[in-house]
Amino acid sequence: MTSPSLDVPPGPGFVSTVTASTGIHRTNAYEVAQLFITHPGPRRPNETTETVKDGMRRLATALHLGPGDQAPPVIGAQLMIRREVVALDYGHDQYVMTIPSPSQDWLGLVGNGALCRICLVIAPLALAADKEETDAHVRASLARGELMWGTTFGRRRF
């Protein structure tokens, strides 16, 4: 079996297994909305750690994310907002990725045009990972070149 090219966005079957969480990075000078995208690892028939990594690489490529050890590229208005529903346009010609339950503060920032930093980790991260495990996984992924990121912002209709 050959894997799809990196320039083909993953399908909705794969994207539905991806996890996304939102947060806000606050400093005294500014606030940045954040979107953290991971995958919990193989759960479907014929899925392996390698096929998960391949799907995450394809998702990162479709979003035009850059390496985590470089300045994050601006990838355009990929967040679509309608009322309190947010979706990420990841480049598929028919589907988008719904972002579950963003906070009102996050929605307020993104809805008012604030930038949002997307951080995507290629290697699977268990759903049960706590804060320390997640931090260690992100740092290890960055060291291995498996952390991708970019800066996006919202658009009102979808």
Side-chain angles (χ1 to χ4, degrees):
M1 181 168 119
T2 61
S3 19
S5 171
L6 278 179
D7 61 352
V8 176
F14 178 80
V15 172
S16 69
T17 63
V18 169
T19 60
S21 58
T22 59
I24 300 173
H25 176 74
R26 292 182 166 99
T27 71
N28 290 335
Y30 62 89
E31 296 179 322
V32 175
Q34 297 180 314
L35 178 59
F36 184 60
I37 301 174
T38 60
H39 193 289
R43 299 187 303 185
R44 300 182 309 164
N46 300 323
E47 202 169 46
T48 65
T49 298
E50 283 311 309
T51 63
V52 166
K53 285 183 171 186
D54 180 62
M56 294 301 281
R57 284 185 190 97
R58 289 172 49 215
L59 183 57
T61 299
L63 284 166
H64 306 288
L65 301 179
D69 62 351
Q70 297 176 16
V74 176
I75 62 171
Q78 302 308 109
L79 292 173
M80 300 178 295
I81 306 161
R82 184 171 182 193
R83 296 189 183 100
E84 294 186 7
V85 176
V86 179
L88 178 65
D89 179 350
Y90 68 95
H92 194 282
D93 60 356
Q94 294 179 322
Y95 299 98
V96 294
M97 184 173 114
T98 304
I99 307 305
S101 308
S103 71
Q104 290 299 312
D105 288 350
W106 191 91
L107 278 169
L109 276 176
V110 173
N112 288 321
L115 297 178
C116 178
R117 184 73 34 85
I118 296 175
C119 177
L120 182 145
V121 179
I122 303 291
L125 175 65
L127 288 174
D130 63 18
K131 184 178 178 183
E132 289 76 25
E133 292 167 326
T134 300
D135 184 60
H137 184 72
V138 167
R139 290 176 188 280
S141 293
L142 178 61
R144 288 191 310 269
E146 292 186 333
L147 186 134
M148 307 298 287
W149 68 343
T151 302
T152 187
F153 46 93
R155 60 186 191 238
R156 276 279 174 205
R157 297 187 186 267
F158 67 96

